[in-house]
Amino acid sequence: MEINRIPVARSSMPPFEEFAAEIKSLWNTRWLSNYGEKHNQLQEKLKSYLDASFINLYSNGHQALEAAFQIFPKGSEVITTPFTYASTTQAIVHSGLIPVFCDIEPEFYTLDPLKVETLITEKTVAIAAVHVYGNLCNHDALQYLAKKHGLQLIYDAAHAFGVRKDGHGIGFFGDMIMLSFHATKVFHTFEGGALICKSAALAERTKAWAHFGMYGNEDAEIIGTNAKMNEIQAAMGLCNLRHIESALAIRRACVEHYKKRLQGIEGIHLCSPQLDVIPNGAYMPIQIDPAEFGADREATVQLLERNGISTRKYFYPLTSAFSVYRGLFKTGDTPVAEKTSAQIICLPLYTELTKDQIDTICNSLICIHCGKINTNRPL
Ligand SMILES: *Cc1c(COP(=O)(O)O)cnc(C)c1O
């Protein structure tokens, strides 16, 4: 890596001494997994921080999502978005369910509730929506549809840790809510995840699935796997959780600074703030309209790269276009998702990112827009 290269993301780390102190007791207890002290402490703290009714911790976010999808009969349909990370769709498919792709709305890139209802059939069991970049889905509309048709409302909230709406944490909205604590996320446990459930029955079942299908310690009552969070992961979570408010504040300030600098540049779409929502500053997406901006997404990404700025085409391609699914599912009619996926760029964002670095990134974008960086020159 070049010395001055700006990465797109960088894991937040607690002070090393804090982590060392946190894991010290494990050398005495020798209790390293299976719902140990660190796990249980983190579970309790996250339950209240996220406003969860019930919460279980997992080895990673993807396993938490799969835990949720296990409750449905194989072959059932799940209405979902193709504008998401591979995990959401793979969790549905790997659980023996059929993804039915629904379009997103153009402002926040979340599932468009107006397009959900026509996709509901007698085989539909759930709506699986994603709080993309921490932008919250239109929960009231999705909740209404889920209730009306007797569907489970599942959220992939991997991007939404720490987001609050109307005074509620993210765990308040939906029947089952998955969080990812992957190293690159706002809050992490190296790898890890959680599933929040509205009912005790769902919480027990999704917990048993991750413990070989055993509700207790002897008999297996359901088909299951092993997807438990271990004590080292939980210890990292306890440390990172102590620093979460300052991390979120720094991220929000970075996003504000980006927006101040990029506001009004023709051809760059920035997400608006959401009403009554406290955001988490998880990502800095910009959508490039090539005709107005003067360069398309590919050229912009490559020019930034040449200037030492890493970005991510996130989410591209749509999951419905994955080669592994070719011919398996209806790809659906999702023009907004297609357009967004072709135009989106996530800019660098992490807690050590400085205002100067943000200025460098924005100046590069402005130069590309003004043609000062020649987009026709061979790269
Ligand atoms: C990170 C992520 C996941 C998967 O979480 P892991 O903890 O990496 O397994 C799922 N969905 C979305 C939208 C993500 O960004």
Side-chain angles (χ1 to χ4, degrees):
M1 193 170 85
E2 295 160 46
I3 305 289
N4 292 323
R5 225 190 146 75
I6 305 178
V8 66
R10 204 157 177 255
S11 298
S12 308
M13 299 302 262
F16 175 72
E17 294 70 25
E18 183 180 342
F19 180 66
E22 191 67 52
I23 62 173
K24 192 152 196 285
S25 63
L26 302 179
W27 265 251
N28 298 324
T29 63
R30 307 284 173 110
W31 190 325
L32 306 183
S33 191
N34 291 50
Y35 322 113
E37 183 191 347
K38 305 292 174 193
H39 168 282
N40 295 345
Q41 277 178 28
L42 184 64
Q43 186 179 31
E44 275 313 299
K45 284 193 195 316
L46 288 175
K47 182 172 186 288
S48 86
Y49 185 77
L50 298 166
D51 278 342
S53 308
F54 301 91
I55 182 168
N56 290 313
L57 308 184
Y58 294 84
S59 49
N60 59 58
H62 182 82
Q63 295 300 324
L65 260 185
E66 289 211 358
F69 290 122
Q70 296 311 308
I71 71 164
F72 304 113
K74 307 273 177 239
S76 305
E77 293 178 359
V78 177
I79 296 173
T80 189
T81 169
F83 190 70
T84 184
Y85 189 56
S87 174
T88 322
T89 313
Q90 290 281 42
I92 294 169
V93 176
H94 196 229
S95 303
L97 309 175
I98 299 165
V100 176
F101 295 106
C102 177
D103 210 1
I104 58 174
E105 56 80 50
E107 181 60 33
F108 302 115
Y109 312 131
T110 49
L111 202 65
D112 187 343
L114 296 174
K115 297 181 181 165
V116 167
E117 199 158 24
T118 58
L119 299 174
I120 297 174
T121 71
E122 69 280 358
K123 284 166 88 182
T124 309
V125 289
I127 299 170
V130 181
H131 297 308
V132 180
Y133 310 130
N135 293 334
L136 295 193
C137 296
N138 184 340
H139 173 69
D140 290 342
L142 293 176
Q143 182 69 67
Y144 168 82
L145 289 172
K147 247 209 168 102
K148 182 175 163 193
H149 295 276
L151 311 175
Q152 291 281 319
L153 179 54
I154 300 172
Y155 283 117
D156 176 334
H159 291 184
F161 190 93
V163 178
R164 300 189 68 82
K165 180 179 166 62
D166 298 327
H168 296 294
I170 196 66
F172 180 80
F173 305 98
D175 298 309
M176 290 190 276
I177 303 106
M178 167 277 215
L179 290 131
S180 164
F181 309 146
H182 183 261
T184 54
K185 302 298 205 276
V186 165
F187 166 81
H188 77 87
T189 59
F190 298 105
E191 293 243 24
L195 187 70
I196 291 169
C197 296
K198 266 282 138 70
S199 79
L202 278 180
E204 278 169 35
R205 189 188 160 118
T206 51
K207 180 180 176 184
W209 177 80
H211 186 44
F212 312 102
M214 300 193 293
Y215 284 76
N217 264 325
E218 290 179 344
D219 184 32
E221 294 171 56
I222 58 172
I223 304 285
T225 188
N226 178 12
K228 301 183 296 288
M229 177 180 282
N230 69 45
E231 289 291 276
I232 292 279
Q233 290 176 292
M236 188 61 156
L238 287 169
C239 294
N240 281 334
L241 199 56
R242 291 187 197 110
H243 304 280
I244 190 69
E245 289 312 324
S246 69
L248 293 177
I250 292 168
R251 284 176 166 278
R252 284 191 287 260
C254 287
V255 169
E256 282 315 302
H257 193 64
Y258 263 123
K259 286 190 168 174
K260 203 171 76 192
R261 293 292 321 275
L262 298 176
Q263 206 78 258
I265 299 176
E266 298 109 313
I268 293 188
H269 170 79
L270 304 168
C271 293
S272 314
Q274 291 188 299
L275 205 63
D276 302 319
V277 171
I278 303 176
N280 64 355
Y283 295 90
M284 185 59 219
I286 60 171
Q287 189 180 346
I288 302 278
D289 177 336
E292 287 184 35
F293 185 65
D296 67 10
R297 192 264 304 272
E298 293 306 321
T300 306
V301 163
Q302 289 184 40
L303 289 164
L304 289 172
E305 188 68 33
R306 213 162 56 182
N307 282 356
I309 299 158
S310 299
T311 59
R312 202 170 162 200
K313 289 183 267 180
Y314 193 61
F315 303 108
Y316 173 85
L318 295 180
T319 63
S320 53
F322 282 171
S323 58
V324 66
Y325 301 148
R326 202 163 293 146
L328 280 184
F329 312 115
K330 273 183 275 175
T331 47
D333 187 19
T334 60
V336 180
E338 261 160 55
K339 182 175 171 191
T340 308
S341 182
Q343 299 185 340
I344 203 80
I345 304 176
C346 279
L347 299 177
L349 187 52
Y350 46 90
T351 49
E352 291 92 14
L353 188 69
T354 64
K355 282 225 161 84
D356 282 351
Q357 287 175 311
I358 295 175
D359 284 335
T360 302
I361 296 160
C362 295
N363 290 342
S364 295
L365 281 165
I366 290 164
C367 286
I368 295 168
H369 174 55
C370 297
K372 285 193 193 125
I373 298 180
N374 187 351
T375 55
N376 295 322
R377 194 152 54 98
L379 297 173

